[in-house]
Amino acid sequence: MASQPTLTTSMQPPPGPNTPLALPTSTTNQNPQTFNAAMKVRMRVFVDEQNCSATAEIDSDDSRSWHWVISDNTRTSSDSDQPIAVIQWDWHHEPCIKLTRVAVVPEYRGLGLGRRLVDTALEWASAHAGEINAAMRDVAGREGIQLKEGLGSWKGLVLVHAQVDVERMYQGQGFQTDESLGRWDEEGIEHVGMFKRITLA
Ligand SMILES: CC(C)(COP(=O)(O)OP(=O)(O)OC[C@H]1O[C@@H](n2cnc3c(N)ncnc32)[C@H](O)[C@@H]1OP(=O)(O)O)[C@@H](O)C(=O)NCCC(=O)NCCS
């Protein structure tokens, strides 16, 4: 890895239900470019490294999520924008946003990129509550989800389903484990629910 990588961050707003998302290997893949970049990291980390199932790697959360990708632009080969780290979030049925699929490729770990992803995504969320609420109402209407009276807008609550191995990382970023959510297995990996409230700009 280069000692001083030139990093850029891209954001993909929710692709929406009209853009069927496919695995990058699919011949019918019409995914947005940034989503495909995110999938490169996810396939490498979650499928190849953590043995999660490839077919379960894209789910209904993806089309309504905002996706961030950090790329290394240092390389001059044709694959010059090498995606190396990802994060995404959507919202829960309660008005909180849920961070998912935080991943940094192995050779770039320990450089602060995990923290940078969480900070970047949450800074954007803090400044765009109106946009988040509009998208939340749109999806709730389409999926027939009843938003509770008085709770129908997002007020800065953030949820993460954390693998227990990285619980400490999120604690360091101000998340607290909610033991009432219990512990559960996703793809053979134990998870806990953690919350943090951010201030809206
Ligand atoms: C978890 C992951 C995203 C962390 O990325 P990273 O870029 O190495 O993390 P950072 O360098 O930004 O570290 C941020 C903080 O978390 C801590 N941390 C990072 N990984 C940790 C781990 N596995 N366990 C405990 N603490 C960890 C760091 O020490 C650092 O703490 P500090 O700010 O107090 O110094 C990365 O290891 C990864 O992709 N793992 C595989 C996928 C995964 O498990 N994703 C989590 C899904 S819930």
Side-chain angles (χ1 to χ4, degrees):
M1 186 197 66
S3 55
Q4 292 285 320
T6 310
L7 304 179
T8 54
T9 306
S10 314
M11 190 264 276
Q12 169 68 50
N18 299 330
T19 320
L21 297 168
L23 287 172
T25 45
S26 158
T27 48
T28 57
N29 173 356
Q30 296 180 331
N31 299 344
Q33 205 182 346
T34 302
F35 184 77
N36 270 337
M39 285 305 297
K40 268 194 182 177
V41 175
R42 284 165 50 173
M43 295 297 282
R44 189 164 161 207
V45 173
F46 296 119
V47 178
D48 297 345
E49 181 185 347
Q50 296 191 338
N51 296 317
C52 298
S53 114
T55 47
E57 193 40 45
I58 293 181
D59 60 25
S60 56
D61 286 352
D62 283 307
S63 63
R64 61 176 187 222
S65 290
W66 279 257
H67 303 261
W68 274 262
V69 183
I70 295 179
S71 296
D72 182 350
N73 298 352
T74 314
R75 303 188 179 192
T76 51
S77 69
S78 57
D79 194 19
S80 56
D81 283 1
Q82 185 200 5
I84 55 168
V86 292
I87 194 170
Q88 75 186 65
W89 52 255
D90 68 318
W91 50 84
H92 239 218
H93 297 177
E94 293 289 333
C96 65
I97 63 173
K98 182 181 73 170
L99 289 177
T100 47
R101 293 198 168 99
V102 187
V104 176
V105 298
E107 61 271 30
Y108 284 83
R109 288 181 192 158
L111 298 175
L113 293 179
R115 174 177 288 276
R116 175 166 161 168
L117 284 166
V118 174
D119 287 348
T120 303
L122 295 188
E123 272 166 27
W124 189 92
S126 160
H128 293 83
E131 197 170 322
I132 292 165
N133 279 314
M136 180 174 71
R137 280 191 292 275
D138 182 43
V139 169
R142 240 185 293 122
E143 296 186 355
I145 297 165
Q146 204 70 36
L147 295 173
K148 285 185 196 159
E149 194 65 33
L151 284 176
S153 64
W154 179 61
K155 298 183 179 68
L157 193 60
V158 184
L159 167 66
V160 62
H161 287 180
Q163 297 181 3
V164 286
D165 282 353
V166 292
E167 191 177 357
R168 273 191 302 116
M169 175 178 101
Y170 290 113
Q171 277 167 353
Q173 294 195 257
F175 284 83
Q176 288 184 338
T177 304
D178 183 345
E179 295 293 352
S180 72
L181 296 177
R183 285 165 187 263
W184 65 93
D185 180 288
E186 281 178 30
E187 301 266 344
I189 301 169
E190 191 182 7
H191 281 69
V192 290
M194 304 177 78
F195 284 100
K196 175 184 181 170
R197 185 170 295 281
I198 63 171
T199 306
L200 302 188

